[in-house]
Amino acid sequence: MKYSGYAYIYTIGCQMNVYDSEKLASILNSYGFEKTDDMEKADIVVCNTCSIRHKAEEKAFSFLGRFSKIKKRKPQLITVMAGCVAQQEGEKAFVRVPHLDIVLGTQAFSRFGHHIDAVKSGKKRVVDTKDSQVIYESLPDTSDNSCFDENKTSRFVTIMQGCDNYCTYCVVPYVRGRERSRSPENIVEEISLLAGNGVREITLLGQNVNSYGQKEGQISFPQLLGKINEINKIHRIRFATSHPKDLSMDLIYAIRDLDKVCNHLHLPVQSGSNKILKKMNRGYTREKYINRISDLKKQCPGIALSTDIIVGFPSETDEDFNDTMNLLHEIQFDSIYAFAYSDRSSAPAAKFFEQIDEKQKRERLNNLLQLQEHYTKKKNKELIGKTLEILVEGKSVKKRDGFEQTSGKMEQMTGRSESNKIVHFPSEHVNMGDIIKIRIEDAYPHSLWGYPLGA
Ligand code: SAH
Ligand code: SF4
Ligand code: F3S
């Protein structure tokens, strides 16, 4: 059916959810709903949820809770909980959010339109948490940027869904299902369309991109990178996430040899303690991780490295935590994402003994972040005086102090380096999607400042 009205989409969670929300927007668009940023104006509101940590889950419930007031005033408003919490909770979602109309699991997107029709014709409380082997292939194309207010130069493309690794702390295998990969043809087609619409940078998404295509007997991930490297007008290729246990030499060679693949790797280590890594079921040791990093540094000099870390996993002692701190000293990551362990009832670690108290987790997290700040600053400072290639993303939202007084006709623009660092610079004649050379003059904890070469 075709309707008219406005759709408001609120996204919580990882990059995959951002990609999924684009798909949801395009489905709603094909049903006649226009996207709005004004919640009050909406005829349908979708909360695309995340359950990776308790906090993310609470954010979803509190957002949807706010809608009960609007729903009372406007009973025809359709409310949708989509994504990972929806998949996890199913029918139970109505206990906390009684006014919900649709609970749309992570694999139910192709049936979304059908569920809207059902609600429009009077059906109450639709729940769809069924599995689907194929998820994205049948959904509308989003390459024309119509799901955004403005064009974007950098976009995500999910190449595989689900996860079979079962790390003991993690809900993903339970909320995203078994691992399955899209076909290379389908992926290349989508990226070519994106390139035709002005996109210059692609980030390929999967929970463990190293095992791309293995189950399906398709080409390997490094081979897929090779194919994407040939797509005209794509300047940069990034990907996340690599699992250290499956990082192959072929992938390292691909990073080294394929000109568009950025010299940056996100390689989540989670802990520096072998005891904890074992309990997490990560499938590698601290030593193996360090060896992998040294292979990478050897083959890809100057490679930027980032990681994810969990502190306060059940039974983590001060000594285990120190092993993680020492790993940060040893590797010197460019940046880290660190989290306090959060108990997820569907994941095995929830039943582990020796849970760490919240105060201790917070203390460890603060110590870790403080240490990393030192290295992030150090890495950023090392770039002063160097020239970096920047992909221009647009105008800076926040201006540098004093910029207005000194800039004349210049605009403050922003972009990213190959190593994924945010770089601000003044210019009057660059466009989004341009690649330009910037000489770095100043370094801050989270960004760099410089001038275009020749300026
Ligand atoms: N597939 C990716 C990560 C997906 S989740 C990988 O294997 O690395 C993103 C990050 O969230 C994880 O790397 C982990 O650091 C963190 N995370 C996952 N479950 C968590 C939990 N229960 N508590 C705290 N952090 C968690
Ligand atoms: Fe979760 Fe581990 Fe799978 Fe990553 S690899 S999504 S942390 S189970
Ligand atoms: Fe969250 Fe689901 Fe992503 S749990 S991190 S939105 S896969």
Side-chain angles (χ1 to χ4, degrees):
M1 285 276 287
K2 197 92 176 163
Y3 306 100
S4 68
Y6 289 100
Y8 182 89
I9 303 179
Y10 182 66
T11 309
I12 305 166
C14 64
Q15 298 169 329
M16 237 175 235
N17 260 14
V18 173
Y19 178 80
D20 283 356
S21 286
E22 291 166 10
K23 290 288 177 198
L24 290 171
S26 70
I27 296 168
L28 288 169
N29 203 253
S30 69
Y31 274 74
F33 292 101
E34 230 177 280
K35 215 176 155 198
T36 178
D37 287 331
D38 181 2
M39 271 201 269
E40 293 289 332
K41 212 163 111 184
D43 301 285
I44 180 163
V45 49
V46 182
C47 180
N48 195 10
T49 61
C50 169
S51 56
I52 200 84
R53 285 170 289 275
H54 180 70
K55 235 194 220 155
E57 199 175 299
E58 281 309 301
K59 204 167 160 189
F61 280 115
S62 97
F63 176 83
L64 283 162
R66 271 160 53 200
F67 269 84
S68 54
K69 273 199 200 121
I70 307 181
K71 182 94 174 168
K72 268 190 201 127
R73 248 192 297 123
K74 200 172 166 185
Q76 74 281 15
L77 172 73
I78 301 176
T79 49
V80 185
M81 178 193 257
C84 295
V85 183
Q87 184 72 32
Q88 176 184 284
E89 298 294 304
E91 291 277 346
K92 285 190 290 198
F94 299 118
V95 177
R96 289 187 63 183
V97 199
H99 64 264
L100 260 184
D101 294 307
I102 303 175
V103 176
L104 191 76
T106 50
Q107 297 160 67
F109 286 21
S110 61
R111 301 180 289 273
F112 188 25
H114 173 76
H115 297 324
I116 296 173
D117 289 340
V119 170
K120 282 275 188 190
S121 53
K123 195 162 176 211
K124 299 233 173 327
R125 296 188 166 185
V126 176
V127 179
D128 186 346
T129 50
K130 282 200 286 289
D131 289 352
S132 302
Q133 188 59 26
V134 176
I135 294 172
Y136 295 118
E137 281 76 349
S138 57
L139 300 182
D141 169 41
T142 50
S143 58
D144 64 355
N145 275 304
S146 59
C147 45
F148 298 110
D149 303 329
E150 52 180 325
N151 284 355
K152 289 203 168 203
T153 195
S154 178
R155 292 273 301 262
F156 300 127
V157 173
T158 296
I159 61 165
M160 56 206 293
Q161 269 267 329
C163 184
D164 291 347
N165 283 313
Y166 294 98
C167 303
T168 53
Y169 50 80
C170 184
V171 292
V172 172
Y174 310 98
V175 293
R176 290 273 176 175
R178 298 289 54 74
E179 183 184 287
R180 57 223 174 272
S181 299
R182 289 173 67 183
S183 74
E185 295 76 24
N186 195 248
I187 295 166
V188 168
E189 187 190 333
E190 179 168 341
I191 298 175
S192 305
L193 286 170
L194 286 165
N197 282 303
V199 172
R200 298 290 167 260
E201 178 180 83
I202 288 293
T203 304
L204 306 171
L205 304 177
Q207 296 299 348
N208 179 11
V209 293
N210 310 92
S211 58
Y212 169 82
Q214 276 174 16
K215 266 192 185 170
E216 289 79 7
Q218 288 167 177
I219 58 172
S220 68
F221 183 61
Q223 287 168 326
L224 179 70
L225 286 175
K227 281 193 184 290
I228 298 171
N229 200 61
E230 283 164 23
I231 300 175
N232 263 342
K233 295 192 187 160
I234 291 293
H235 295 326
R236 281 183 176 173
I237 305 165
R238 300 183 188 279
F239 54 88
T241 302
S242 279
H243 195 303
K245 81 176 160 59
D246 298 322
L247 175 65
S248 65
M249 276 319 279
D250 278 349
L251 181 58
I252 296 178
Y253 298 142
I255 301 172
R256 184 191 65 188
D257 299 336
L258 298 172
D259 59 328
K260 296 178 183 175
V261 175
C262 291
N263 202 23
H264 169 223
L265 189 69
H266 182 64
L267 196 64
V269 65
Q270 312 299 358
S271 169
S273 148
N274 281 336
K275 178 192 101 189
I276 297 294
L277 285 171
K278 192 147 193 259
K279 291 195 173 189
M280 287 176 162
N281 190 31
R282 288 291 287 177
Y284 54 86
T285 57
R286 173 194 178 96
E287 293 72 29
K288 191 172 167 211
Y289 185 88
I290 292 171
N291 277 340
R292 263 339 198 190
I293 295 284
S294 100
D295 290 337
L296 263 166
K297 286 183 174 168
K298 220 179 281 160
Q299 298 298 329
C300 313
I303 191 165
L305 294 167
S306 55
T307 199
D308 290 349
I309 287 172
I310 297 177
V311 301
F313 186 80
S315 83
E316 184 187 70
T317 59
D318 284 341
E319 204 185 335
D320 296 319
F321 176 65
N322 277 337
D323 286 346
T324 303
M325 293 283 273
N326 286 332
L327 191 77
L328 254 56
H329 285 300
E330 192 164 344
I331 295 184
Q332 305 195 7
F333 293 102
D334 289 77
S335 61
I336 65 165
Y337 299 87
F339 313 98
Y341 167 74
S342 170
D343 235 3
R344 312 281 61 215
S345 56
S346 52
K351 297 190 187 65
F352 288 6
F353 295 116
E354 299 176 76
Q355 298 279 336
I356 308 297
D357 78 53
E358 293 302 322
K359 190 166 159 264
Q360 179 135 49
K361 284 186 207 169
R362 260 198 318 275
E363 255 170 41
R364 287 181 183 166
L365 186 61
N366 286 341
N367 288 343
L368 192 81
L369 290 172
Q370 225 169 25
L371 175 62
Q372 180 54 37
E373 203 174 299
H374 165 79
Y375 285 114
T376 304
K377 274 191 199 151
K378 178 172 174 253
K379 293 262 166 183
N380 284 354
K381 280 212 177 103
E382 281 166 9
L383 293 170
I384 295 178
K386 297 230 159 73
T387 299
L388 303 181
E389 266 193 0
I390 304 301
L391 175 67
V392 181
E393 290 183 353
K395 290 180 191 162
S396 305
V397 182
K398 205 170 153 243
K399 299 277 180 289
R400 193 185 199 216
D401 282 350
F403 181 78
E404 249 78 35
Q405 290 81 48
T406 54
S407 53
K409 275 200 294 182
M410 303 265 197
E411 288 275 11
Q412 185 179 315
M413 306 295 288
T414 187
R416 269 171 208 268
S417 68
E418 203 185 323
S419 56
N420 211 22
K421 295 192 197 292
I422 298 169
V423 180
H424 300 291
F425 58 94
S427 180
E428 48 178 328
H429 48 65
V430 296
N431 294 309
M432 196 177 74
D434 289 351
I435 296 240
I436 59 164
K437 287 196 159 65
I438 302 281
R439 198 182 54 250
I440 303 302
E441 300 279 330
D442 233 336
Y444 307 106
H446 304 289
S447 64
L448 301 164
W449 170 264
Y451 293 94
L453 222 58

